[in-house]
């Protein structure tokens, strides 16, 4: 069940999303939420991890970045529509967020670092309620473009979240442990010290068979080919692709609920269509495959509608 504070923050977020092109002040948002300015900022940061000003600025800049890519409008017109008072202030803020000028971003022609509105994981159409751990949780999907890159690793067959008998919760950690053993053995043979916590892990899921009704998925536990070279590992090329990036932090068994929410609720109204190609799991360098707690990002191929 959602608590009162969370519901009030959701209402504030909805108001922000509907009035991004207008003046938004902490005072006015706090008044609408029936909180003091101090209390509103504190509760907003608790649920979002952001200040009000930072959140509004990032959404406005993301909207501006999208307009730069899909239109030929002047930068000043885009800046004013997205709530900036001048082209100078717009360009300064844009460079801070995207590490390039608006003109450079437009020239590259790729969606990178786009933030979408924070939304709750609840959705009315779901027959079964989400687990309590997700009841008061917000997620912000990011849109990224990734150039082609190479990985190497070990592979296994898993049954995914829409299978009648999903087994990924047990199989995926097994595949990662196999990769770890292969890397350790190779380094032992070459008298090289290998620290498995210093290498970023990348999980790759070939979902192309889902188009034909196959619920089985080929899963690779990988490292980037540029980070290490092990002849016994399988080589795989990940083609250039645009992705919707889902941040995840929590018990591993909640990942399938989060992905179901993304596919069934977020994606249909997002302006993007999902593609069955290579899904990616991007893990931090200190990732431990214990099948319990996960800190990662799940990247799903998408195309703008």
């Amino acid at each position: 069940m959602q608590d009162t504070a969370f519901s009030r923050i959701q209402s504030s977020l909805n108001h922000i999303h509907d009035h991004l092109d207008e003046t938004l002040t902490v005072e006015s948002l706090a008044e609408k939420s029936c909180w003091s300015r101090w209390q509103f900022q504190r509760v907003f940061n608790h649920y979002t991890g952001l200040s009000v000003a930072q959140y509004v600025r990032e959404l406005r800049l993301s909207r501006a970045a999208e307009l730069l890519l899909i239109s030929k409008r002047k930068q000043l017109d885009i800046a004013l529509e997205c709530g900036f008072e001048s082209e100078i202030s717009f360009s300064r803020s844009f460079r801070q967020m995207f590490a390039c000028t608006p003109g450079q971003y437009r020239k590259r022609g790729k969606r990178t670092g786009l933030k979408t509105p924070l939304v709750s994981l609840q959705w009315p159409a779901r027959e079964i309620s989400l687990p309590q751990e997700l009841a008061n949780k917000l997620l912000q999907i990011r849109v990224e473009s990734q150039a082609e890159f190479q990985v190497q690793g070990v592979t296994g067959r898993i049954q995914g979240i829409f299978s009648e008998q999903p087994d990924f919760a047990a199989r995926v950690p097994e595949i990662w442990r196999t990769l770890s053993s292969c890397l350790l053995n190779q380094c032992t043979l070459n008298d090289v010290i290998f620290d498995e916590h210093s290498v970023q892990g990348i999980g790759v899921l070939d979902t192309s068979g889902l188009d034909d009704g196959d619920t089985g998925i080929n899963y690779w536990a990988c490292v980037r080919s540029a980070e290490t070279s092990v002849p016994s590992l399988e080589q795989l090329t990940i083609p250039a692709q645009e992705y919707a990036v889902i941040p995840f932090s929590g018990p591993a068994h909640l990942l399938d609920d989060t992905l179901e929410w993304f596919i069934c609720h977020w994606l249909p109204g997002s302006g993007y269509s999902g593609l069955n190609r290579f899904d990616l799991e991007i893990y931090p360098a200190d990732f431990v495959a214990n099948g319990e707690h996960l800190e990662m990002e799940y990247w799903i191929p998408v195309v703008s509608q």
Side-chain angles (χ1 to χ4, degrees):
M1 175 179 286
Q2 295 181 355
D3 61 36
T4 302
F6 183 77
S7 296
R8 288 160 74 177
I9 289 298
Q10 276 191 292
S11 296
S12 296
L13 290 171
N14 290 336
H15 180 80
I16 290 171
H17 303 158
D18 292 338
H19 299 85
L20 269 180
D21 57 343
E22 302 174 14
T23 300
L24 293 168
T25 65
V26 175
E27 290 82 1
S28 64
L29 292 170
E31 184 178 353
K32 288 181 179 295
S33 302
C34 299
W35 277 316
S36 68
R37 172 181 173 141
W38 175 84
Q39 188 176 16
F40 174 71
Q41 291 184 101
R42 182 178 64 83
V43 178
F44 189 92
N45 179 263
H46 170 74
Y47 282 108
T48 69
L50 301 166
S51 69
V52 178
Q54 180 184 359
Y55 181 64
V56 171
R57 183 171 59 253
E58 289 183 352
L59 285 188
R60 286 174 170 170
L61 288 168
S62 293
R63 175 183 287 185
E66 179 72 17
L67 289 173
L68 286 168
L69 296 181
I70 66 173
S71 75
K72 296 182 179 180
R73 297 172 59 187
K74 294 180 179 179
Q75 291 182 24
L76 177 58
D77 294 337
I78 292 175
L80 295 175
E81 178 179 326
C82 294
F84 292 88
E85 296 181 353
S86 69
E87 189 171 2
I88 293 176
S89 64
F90 168 61
S91 296
R92 183 187 305 115
S93 296
F94 195 95
R95 183 187 289 273
Q96 289 173 348
M97 180 169 173
F98 295 105
C100 67
T101 67
Q104 290 169 334
Y105 194 95
R106 171 175 268 169
K107 186 175 181 180
R108 292 174 188 172
K110 297 181 181 300
R111 291 178 177 84
T112 303
L114 295 188
K115 302 288 187 69
T116 67
L118 277 161
V119 288
S120 166
L121 268 72
Q122 296 288 345
W123 74 94
R126 196 173 197 261
E127 296 180 358
I128 302 174
S129 299
L130 284 173
Q132 184 60 38
E133 297 98 321
L134 299 178
N136 296 329
K137 189 169 183 178
L138 297 165
L139 272 187
Q140 185 173 39
I141 307 301
R142 194 172 80 249
V143 179
E144 297 282 2
S145 294
Q146 173 63 56
E148 177 183 294
F149 66 101
Q150 284 73 44
V151 295
Q152 56 180 335
V154 296
T155 185
R157 189 78 168 166
I158 67 172
Q159 292 295 320
I161 61 174
F162 296 113
S163 164
E164 292 184 0
Q165 295 182 316
D167 63 0
F168 60 91
R171 287 285 294 132
V172 168
E174 290 176 1
I175 298 170
W176 278 103
R177 286 192 287 270
T178 301
L179 173 64
S180 181
S181 296
C182 289
L183 292 173
L184 286 170
N185 290 338
Q186 180 68 25
C187 290
T188 299
L189 289 173
N190 295 332
D191 294 325
V192 175
I193 297 176
F194 170 67
D195 180 5
E196 61 181 317
H197 303 313
S198 67
V199 179
Q200 182 184 48
I202 301 176
V204 180
L205 298 88
D206 181 359
T207 63
S208 58
L210 298 179
D211 287 332
D212 299 322
D214 185 359
T215 59
I217 296 172
N218 289 327
Y219 182 96
W220 283 267
C222 303
V223 294
R224 287 183 181 267
S225 297
E227 292 185 352
T228 185
S229 180
V230 181
S232 61
L233 297 181
E234 294 187 39
Q235 305 292 318
L236 183 65
T237 298
I238 309 300
Q241 178 64 56
E242 190 167 275
Y243 295 89
V245 181
I246 308 163
F248 181 84
S249 175
H253 70 274
L254 296 180
L255 178 59
D256 55 341
D257 289 296
T258 304
L259 294 179
E260 183 184 352
W261 165 85
F262 172 84
I263 294 169
C264 299
H265 179 67
W266 188 90
L267 197 57
S270 67
Y272 294 91
S273 296
L275 301 173
N276 288 326
R277 294 182 180 174
F278 287 121
D279 288 8
L280 305 178
E281 298 172 339
I282 309 297
Y283 294 97
D286 58 354
F287 162 65
V288 177
N290 57 19
E292 297 176 3
H293 185 82
L294 288 180
E295 296 282 345
M296 50 91 82
E297 290 184 337
Y298 197 100
W299 293 43
I300 292 182
V302 295
V303 62
S304 179
Q305 296 177 350

